[in-house]
Every structure is written in structure tokens, then in C-alpha cells.
Amino acid sequence: MKQLATSSTDGIVMIWNLKPQRRAYRFDGHEDSITCVQFSPSGHLVASSSKDRTVRLWVPNMKAQSTVFKAHTATVRCVDFSGDGHTMVTASDDKTVKLWALPRQKFLFSLNQHINWVRCARFSPDGRLIISSSDDKTIKLWDKNSRECVHSFYEHAGYANQVEFHPSGTCIAAASTDNSVKVWDIRSLKMLQHYQVHSGFVNSLSFHPSGHYLLTGSNDSTTKILDLVEGKLLFTLHGHQGAVNCVAFSRTGEYFASGGSDDQVMVWKSNFDNSSDTLKNQQSTNQAPQPIRTAAKTGRGHGETMHNNTHRITITNIPGSTSSSSTSTSAKVHGQPCKPSHEVTKPLERPPTPGLTSALENIIGQLDILTKTVSMLEHRLSLTEEKLKECLQTQVDSQAFLDEASWTPDAQY
């Protein structure tokens, strides 16, 4: 992963160059909050949608050049590129899904059957289909060429914040405000899986390139990784101090990023081996993905700094991560393993149960992490105590000043 694009309610798009000594790019052009940001398949363009009713197409370099697309009459919630990069789709609170031709930068047509705000729209990998989700509690599957809705899914009790195509193009997944994640087969039009693993709205999701894992982010402050082959919760990651608003795997699947309402963007190491689709270098399944970098709001605006502060982040978040061995029993999973290809998908091969030596090494490693965590918490408590003392002293000084200002000497006769 060479670059990471982020956006915020401050109306700024940031392009982070993750290689050392490379500067970040800051794009300022929208007049209101940005709702979505997306790289083109080639990585040479970045699209952003905004509450200012526009979509901007940026060239990710120092010049920060952009082209403005105007056709929507309300907030634009989402933007996505087709696999060949020749078409762009947008979703808006004006209840429409619109398509645009690139690089001609020309509006093509609208899809109009939703009866409430459209939260998300995505192209299928081959570009023939479009999936959209709306506050009307429907998820619609569209044929791009005929411009017709070929099916509507109604299973969600809430509305879907985000929908995504499986890398094979044969399944879709939706993140809903009913706290669930559902997976459908678009060939049979039947639901394959239903995960009730979050305790708050599910805001975002992303498929691993292998198609075997699904990443989710929720208002319950957690990021979760689901094993679609075995149909269970694999990891729960605690990193953000508020709602997790967006998650995304890198194109290789080696990393993933999460953004939260705590003004933090975290980059995590997946610990997946793409060649065999098994957990890398693990003798058991309890090695959670590890955060390696974070972008934090510093008070000067979104994305002012990107800190390579691996030690602090790792200690903060890994002890709170749980694996499938301890959480799969609490996951309410319904349906069958996701089999997106025409071939039979085999369950992931797991290494044999580790011996006593491996178990002891694992316990020692966990104790070491817990020790570091306690040390970190003690440090935070010390900082909190110092801040409280400063606040109390300021309050005492202010009261003394007010008492002095309100005192008047007795009148002299």
C-alpha cells in the first residue's frame, strides 16, 4: 500500500504517502463535509463526494487540480469507479443514482426507483451491474446497460449504510443500522449469511481480495473480521474511542485502514497470507491484526500529521483484540458458508493444535502485552491526574479573582 486517501467533515481530502520521508497531500475545494473518497483503479485519480452536492475528481499530486461534477440536487453520499476506470457512479440524498463517463467527464443517466436517500452505490467487478442501498430499507440490483432494476432485497429491518460486491461478483454484503451484516448470492437471489455480531449500527464493510474475509466497522467502537468460509467471527479489534465510520482493505489485502469519530485513522497489518489464504505465521488462530500507523487530528485540522508510532498503537489496541477462539460462541451467525465461485469452496486449512510449548509461549506473549498495557494505562492516569489538578487550580484562581473583584470597601463618612 503506497497511498491512503482520507476525508472528513472539515471538507478536506488527505492523500497520505506511506513511504518514509514522503509528504502528504492536502486537497481543499469542497464547501461542506466530505462523505466519501475513492481511488480510481489505476490510482491516478481520486474522487470525493460532498454535502455541497458536488463530486470532485482530483489528481493526487502537489498541484491539487480537480474537476467538479454537478448534477445532484442534494448531498452526494457515495462515489465509485468501474473496474476499467471509464465510468463513475454516485449516490445522493436526491434519491437518485447517477452515472458519469470518464475521462469525458460527461453525465450519462440516472437510476430513479429509490423513494428515500441513497446511501451507497457500487459497481460489480465486471462493471455490468450496480448495487445501491437506501433509507427506504431496500438494496437494489441494477443492470447498467438496460438501466433497469433487476431485483430488490428487503431483508434489513433498518437501512443499509454500505453495500459491497464480493471480488468474484457473485455475492453482495450489506452493513445495516439494524446492527447486522448480511450476505446474498445475486445468482439465486437468496441470503447466504446473517451476522449479528455488533451491538451498534454497522457503518462500513470491505471484502478481503481473497473473498474469504469481510471487514466491518460499527458504532460500538469495534472493527471485526468475519470468516466467510467458515461462517464465523474471526477477530474483534478495539482501537477507536468512538464509532468506527469506515473500513477498507488495501488492494493486496496485506493492510487495512479504519477511520473513526475519534478523529483517528488507523492502518493495520492484516496477518493474512494471500498465497494460501491462511493466517500467516500462526500456530493458533489468536494472533489479531496489528495497527502499525495512525493519522490523528491534532487540533489544526483533519490529517495534519501521520505518526509512525507503532509502539504506542500496538500496546493500546492489541490486548483488546479477541480471536475467534473466544468470541465465536457469542456471534449469531445464520446461513451457510459463502461460496462465491462456481467451484466448491473448501474450508480454510488450520494448523494442528499447538503443543504445550507453543501454548506456554503464547501465554507468555499475552502476559507481556498485558504488562505493557498496564504500564500504558498508568501513564495515562498520571496525565489525567495532572490535567485535573491544572483544572482545579484554574478554577480556584478564577474564584479568587471573582471574589476580589466583587469586594468593595465600606463607605467612609
Side-chain angles (χ1 to χ4, degrees):
M1 183 171 62
K2 297 179 180 179
Q3 291 182 316
L4 173 68
T6 64
S7 62
S8 174
T9 54
D10 60 9
I12 302 297
V13 173
M14 292 293 300
I15 307 296
W16 304 96
N17 288 293
L18 300 182
K19 289 185 177 181
Q21 312 303 322
R22 293 290 298 275
R23 63 166 293 175
Y25 300 134
R26 177 188 175 97
F27 299 159
D28 188 354
H30 283 291
E31 298 176 357
D32 207 333
S33 301
I34 299 176
T35 55
C36 181
V37 63
Q38 191 83 8
F39 273 108
S40 66
S42 66
H44 296 154
L45 296 172
V46 175
S48 58
S49 59
S50 171
K51 287 187 176 181
D52 65 8
R53 306 179 182 182
T54 70
V55 173
R56 283 182 177 263
L57 202 59
W58 308 84
V59 179
N61 57 30
M62 294 180 63
K63 295 182 180 179
Q65 299 171 329
S66 68
T67 303
V68 182
F69 293 77
K70 295 181 179 180
H72 286 291
T73 58
T75 294
V76 187
R77 294 284 175 184
C78 181
V79 60
D80 190 39
F81 290 94
S82 60
D84 59 11
H86 294 164
T87 314
M88 189 168 66
V89 64
T90 55
S92 170
D93 285 1
D94 63 12
K95 307 175 187 178
T96 69
V97 175
K98 298 185 184 296
L99 277 80
W100 312 76
L102 302 175
R104 290 182 296 162
Q105 301 172 4
K106 179 183 178 182
F107 169 68
L108 294 177
F109 57 87
S110 294
L111 304 174
N112 299 301
Q113 292 188 27
H114 282 295
I115 58 175
N116 208 330
W117 296 354
V118 186
R119 292 275 173 175
C120 184
R122 290 284 189 262
F123 278 107
S124 62
D126 61 10
R128 295 186 303 107
L129 300 173
I130 295 169
I131 194 76
S132 62
S133 62
S134 168
D135 283 16
D136 62 15
K137 298 184 179 180
T138 68
I139 297 170
K140 294 187 181 294
L141 185 65
W142 308 83
D143 185 300
K144 190 189 75 171
N145 294 328
S146 67
R147 308 182 189 181
E148 296 293 331
C149 176
V150 297
H151 188 73
S152 294
F153 299 93
Y154 297 94
E155 281 82 353
H156 276 290
Y159 57 81
N161 282 312
Q162 185 176 348
V163 287
E164 291 288 343
F165 273 97
H166 187 275
S168 69
T170 60
C171 293
I172 60 168
S176 175
T177 58
D178 65 5
N179 304 351
S180 75
V181 175
K182 294 183 180 180
V183 181
W184 290 273
D185 188 320
I186 62 173
R187 298 163 299 181
S188 64
L189 303 178
K190 294 182 179 179
M191 186 173 67
L192 295 179
Q193 295 177 334
H194 175 201
Y195 295 90
Q196 199 77 37
V197 295
H198 285 289
S199 60
F201 291 0
V202 186
N203 298 317
S204 181
L205 49 77
S206 176
F207 280 103
H208 187 268
S210 69
H212 291 166
Y213 306 101
L214 185 65
L215 179 68
T216 63
S218 168
N219 277 3
D220 64 11
S221 304
T222 68
T223 301
K224 295 180 184 287
I225 298 177
L226 307 174
D227 186 329
L228 300 179
V229 177
E230 297 191 357
K232 68 178 183 180
L233 176 63
L234 193 62
F235 294 116
T236 297
L237 307 174
H238 299 269
H240 292 282
Q241 303 302 312
V244 181
N245 296 326
C246 56
V247 293
F249 273 112
S250 64
R251 291 182 181 174
T252 63
E254 185 179 1
Y255 301 95
F256 63 88
S258 59
S261 59
D262 58 358
D263 301 328
Q264 299 262 7
V265 177
M266 304 188 73
V267 180
W268 305 71
K269 178 75 172 177
S270 297
N271 289 330
F272 293 128
D273 183 352
N274 293 336
S275 61
S276 61
D277 288 322
T278 58
L279 293 180
K280 183 186 294 185
N281 297 327
Q282 294 185 48
Q283 295 182 340
S284 62
T285 59
N286 59 357
Q287 180 177 336
Q290 300 184 11
I292 58 172
R293 299 182 68 145
T294 179
K297 187 170 181 179
T298 62
R300 296 172 290 173
H302 156 235
E304 290 290 341
T305 58
M306 171 71 90
H307 298 291
N308 189 357
N309 197 354
T310 307
H311 182 71
R312 179 179 64 84
I313 299 170
T314 302
I315 291 177
T316 301
N317 298 289
I318 291 304
S321 303
T322 54
S323 69
S324 59
S325 60
S326 61
T327 59
S328 59
T329 55
S330 63
K332 297 179 181 178
V333 182
H334 307 280
Q336 55 185 314
C338 185
K339 299 179 180 180
S341 64
H342 293 284
E343 301 177 357
V344 177
T345 304
K346 297 181 180 180
L348 299 184
E349 296 180 359
R350 300 298 186 191
T353 304
L356 180 60
T357 302
S358 299
L360 288 174
E361 290 177 353
N362 181 58
I363 292 172
I364 292 172
Q366 294 297 322
L367 287 174
D368 183 56
I369 292 174
L370 289 172
T371 301
K372 294 179 180 178
T373 304
V374 171
S375 177
M376 180 274 295
L377 291 173
E378 289 177 347
H379 177 65
R380 285 193 171 183
L381 284 173
S382 298
L383 293 176
T384 303
E385 289 177 358
E386 292 177 1
K387 288 184 179 180
L388 285 173
K389 289 179 180 179
E390 291 178 2
C391 291
L392 289 172
Q393 186 59 45
T394 302
Q395 188 175 4
V396 170
D397 293 343
S398 299
Q399 186 62 45
F401 176 78
L402 291 173
D403 292 342
E404 182 178 352
S406 60
W407 178 84
T408 55
D410 296 335
Q412 299 294 323
Y413 294 97

